[in-house]
Amino acid sequence: MVMDHHPEHPDVTAEMWTRIDTILDEHSSVPGSLITALRLCQDTVGYLPPPLLDYIAEGMNLASSQVFGVATFYSLFSLKPKGRNIIKACTGTACYVKGIKEILNHIRNSYSISEGETMPDRRFTLEGVRCLGACGLAPVMVVNEDIHGNVDPKQVKGILEDYQ
Ligand code: FES
């Protein structure tokens, strides 16, 4: 079912709406496919703005409350825009002992973001994550796909300046 009008949203382009309509069309009659549809819509836009969740609810013939409930329950989904670059700072035990707090402080001082926040210009999103399984490299910070181990807090800015 393609709905006749799309809500206005600055982050959702006409091409994205076309793709979203296709996704909803393919999934609306498939029971239990809400999570898949949400994931595909998030891949399309980058996150799930609330007007899009309402639109998805309508397209999937579900209550908005149900769609919001699922989207807010799973950490996989984000209702807020993410940055172009995602910094994952490991807050597991080994990284904690080796000084990840100091690294987080440097990021906060340099870019004015704390865990869970995104810069207003969307350059960086900072996320605290559990053990990344690379404790031998503690403290560990992952930027996009790049793993940075044994990070010296004094190097943090130098590392991050490569990511625009
Ligand atoms: S605690 Fe950081 S990688 Fe294991």
Side-chain angles (χ1 to χ4, degrees), residues 127-148:
E127 296 176 348
V129 294
R130 301 217 184 126
C131 179
L132 289 160
C135 308
L137 297 176
V140 182
M141 168 176 94
V142 176
V143 187
N144 302 337
E145 308 298 318
D146 308 329
I147 299 173
H148 299 276

Side-chain angles (χ1 to χ4, degrees), residues 80-81 83 108 112-119 124-127:
K80 287 190 285 188
R108 187 175 315 117
S112 303
I113 41 170
S114 300
E115 284 178 62
E117 292 180 351
T118 297
M119 290 170 70
F124 288 120
T125 291
L126 175 61
E127 296 176 348

Side-chain angles (χ1 to χ4, degrees), residues 3 56 59 73 87 107 120 125 130 133-134 137 152-153:
M3 285 158 286
I56 292 170
F73 179 78
I87 306 167
I107 296 173
T125 291
R130 301 217 184 126
L137 297 176
D152 178 337

Side-chain angles (χ1 to χ4, degrees), residues 12-118:
V12 191
T13 63
E15 292 76 28
M16 290 177 187
W17 282 121
T18 305
R19 167 91 184 110
I20 288 162
D21 282 335
T22 307
I23 294 165
L24 296 180
D25 224 20
E26 287 171 359
H27 292 85
S28 59
S29 54
V30 184
S33 63
L34 174 59
I35 289 178
T36 307
L38 286 171
R39 193 174 48 72
L40 292 170
C41 289
Q42 176 167 277
D43 287 349
T44 302
V45 178
Y47 71 108
L48 296 167
L52 174 56
L53 289 177
D54 282 328
Y55 189 80
I56 292 170
E58 198 181 331
M60 299 287 288
N61 302 309
L62 297 168
S64 279
S65 57
Q66 188 179 352
V67 175
F68 272 78
V70 170
T72 50
F73 179 78
Y74 291 99
S75 60
L76 160 75
F77 299 123
S78 176
L79 274 58
K80 287 190 285 188
K82 296 252 183 164
R84 294 186 293 286
N85 303 291
I86 313 287
I87 306 167
K88 293 188 164 88
C90 178
T91 56
T93 308
C95 291
Y96 198 87
V97 170
K98 293 276 192 149
I100 198 74
K101 267 263 165 319
E102 223 183 310
I103 291 169
L104 290 168
N105 285 341
H106 271 259
I107 296 173
R108 187 175 315 117
N109 292 340
S110 302
Y111 303 102
S112 303
I113 41 170
S114 300
E115 284 178 62
E117 292 180 351
T118 297

